[in-house]
Amino acid sequence: MSVPTLGQIPQVPLTAFPGSQPVQKPSVWTTNPVLSYVNDIYSSVANRRAALGLPNPGTIENINKETSKDVFLNNYFFTGLRADLSKSFSMNPAFQVSHSFSLGSPVMPPYGFAAFYATDDVLLQGNIDNDRSLSGRFHYGWNTFNVSKANIQIAAGQPAMLQLEHDYRGTDFSLNLKALNPSVLEGGFTGVAVGSILQSVTPKLALGLETVYSCQSPMYPPDAAVNYYGRYVGDDWVAAAQLQAQGSVLASFWRRVTDKVEAGIETSLSVGASQQQQMMMMMGGAPQIDATTTIGAKYEFRQSVFRGQIDSQGKVACLVERRVLPVVSVLFAGEIDHSKSSARLGLGLQFEAGGEEVYSQAENLSQPRPPM
């Protein structure tokens, strides 16, 4: 019987044996005494945070979105006559174009064209009106945690605006970095830089911090400010508070009354916010406090949505969206300002061409597929 040589003996990896682990090469984080100590502290803190099971608190931008963006009329109110025509071509990827017409509105242009395209990783949106004012935004998701954003606005007779932004969402915190019109062509940084973090302290409480650095020109000293945020999420209610560096406080409370009814209240306090008030305080005058409280509610019916709000300044506003057909909706907006004895009205019509096709496509995708 011949004895096999060394080259003929099969080489069995260590991982083939039960219970064996692959041999790891030593790194500088384990061999260096200082770095290994830092690595141990980081691993200990990370393990403790993972054991708490804290959720992601969202972003500071949406810290009071339930009240300001869902219930109140800030993003929905309009005046004059308005008509929107949109056409959806596909759902995945989502591609839609829209035409908007307006008459008698001091804010909305007479005509505007918009296009929207979105996939799982990319979002593109552009708008242009009859005055050749252009605005667009671009979002790109690198992975589940990192999203980069870019917004641009070019309007006739106004300076162009460029905003670069990056979001990082961890398991229990959110980090945001933002730059508005950044430039280094004047020998130094000019523009506005914003950095914010929102950290979950408990499963329901989150605290945040935001720093703002602004420099209009290297010839003038820059400005810096720090803002503080807090958010508490209950079973069916959310409370949020903001403390601005200028001395203003914003507190909001949102509650889901029923499955179809939401209510919210927001209070804003500012001390010497205007330049005239600040000059009076420097001359020894008493600080003037401006306060405004707004209460609103949102009702969702089977074919319509009603939003209404009233504030402490005597302003009452409401907005009704009624879907008369699967692809046609009618909008009515009204506001009465008792302190100024003025009123504003708005009437709109929305038509979604291709909405039925996209809806049926979504229904087909939501149905379970038969086994092959």
Side-chain angles (χ1 to χ4, degrees), residues 129-143:
D129 57 22
N130 56 289
D131 293 332
R132 296 186 298 275
S133 298
L134 177 65
S135 64
R137 61 172 180 163
F138 169 74
H139 295 184
Y140 182 78
W142 301 92
N143 48 43

Side-chain angles (χ1 to χ4, degrees), residues 162 180-191 215-219:
L162 173 63
L180 179 63
N181 287 342
S183 176
V184 292
L185 300 179
E186 299 182 17
F189 176 82
T190 57
C215 182
Q216 302 299 327
S217 174
M219 300 176 59

Side-chain angles (χ1 to χ4, degrees), residues 203-204 232-239 253-257 259:
K204 295 184 177 181
Y232 189 90
V233 180
D235 295 335
D236 56 357
W237 57 274
V238 177
F253 180 82
W254 171 89
R255 181 180 177 85
R256 181 176 294 278
V257 183
D259 295 339

Side-chain angles (χ1 to χ4, degrees), residues 31-80:
T31 57
N32 188 283
V34 178
L35 296 181
S36 63
Y37 178 73
V38 175
N39 187 32
D40 293 341
I41 295 178
Y42 175 81
S43 301
S44 177
V45 174
N47 293 334
R48 290 179 180 271
R49 288 171 53 188
L52 294 176
L54 300 178
N56 183 279
T59 60
I60 285 183
E61 182 181 2
N62 297 324
I63 195 169
N64 61 340
K65 65 180 181 65
E66 292 84 1
T67 302
S68 61
K69 296 184 179 181
D70 295 342
V71 176
F72 288 173
L73 279 66
N74 303 337
N75 300 329
Y76 304 96
F77 191 83
F78 66 97
T79 58

Side-chain angles (χ1 to χ4, degrees), residues 43-263:
S43 301
S44 177
V45 174
N47 293 334
R48 290 179 180 271
R49 288 171 53 188
L52 294 176
L54 300 178
N56 183 279
T59 60
I60 285 183
E61 182 181 2
N62 297 324
I63 195 169
N64 61 340
K65 65 180 181 65
E66 292 84 1
T67 302
S68 61
K69 296 184 179 181
D70 295 342
V71 176
F72 288 173
L73 279 66
N74 303 337
N75 300 329
Y76 304 96
F77 191 83
F78 66 97
T79 58
L81 299 179
R82 171 184 174 184
D84 298 326
L85 173 62
S86 61
K87 169 66 176 179
S88 299
F89 294 92
S90 62
M91 188 189 67
N92 192 14
F95 179 58
Q96 176 180 320
V97 298
S98 63
H99 304 267
S100 61
F101 305 89
S102 177
L103 181 64
S105 175
V107 179
M108 299 180 59
Y111 171 74
F113 174 79
F116 176 85
Y117 176 84
T119 62
D120 295 337
D121 302 328
V122 178
L123 184 146
L124 292 170
Q125 183 178 6
N127 301 271
I128 189 172
D129 57 22
N130 56 289
D131 293 332
R132 296 186 298 275
S133 298
L134 177 65
S135 64
R137 61 172 180 163
F138 169 74
H139 295 184
Y140 182 78
W142 301 92
N143 48 43
T144 310
F145 309 100
N146 293 275
V147 178
S148 297
K149 306 176 183 179
N151 297 341
I152 185 173
Q153 292 183 4
I154 302 175
Q158 299 180 5
M161 191 276 293
L162 173 63
Q163 178 177 303
L164 303 177
E165 187 175 354
H166 185 81
D167 284 332
Y168 178 81
R169 292 199 174 189
T171 55
D172 57 355
F173 72 96
S174 296
L175 180 65
N176 176 268
L177 301 176
K178 186 184 306 180
L180 179 63
N181 287 342
S183 176
V184 292
L185 300 179
E186 299 182 17
F189 176 82
T190 57
V192 179
V194 182
S196 62
I197 183 172
L198 188 62
Q199 171 71 54
S200 293
V201 181
T202 67
K204 295 184 177 181
L205 177 63
L207 301 178
L209 180 71
E210 181 184 62
T211 58
V212 181
Y213 177 86
S214 174
C215 182
Q216 302 299 327
S217 174
M219 300 176 59
Y220 301 96
D223 296 329
V226 180
N227 306 321
Y228 303 93
Y229 299 85
R231 174 182 170 91
Y232 189 90
V233 180
D235 295 335
D236 56 357
W237 57 274
V238 177
Q242 307 177 24
L243 177 59
Q244 306 290 336
Q246 295 80 6
S248 60
V249 179
L250 180 65
S252 62
F253 180 82
W254 171 89
R255 181 180 177 85
R256 181 176 294 278
V257 183
T258 64
D259 295 339
K260 304 296 182 181
V261 181
E262 304 175 17

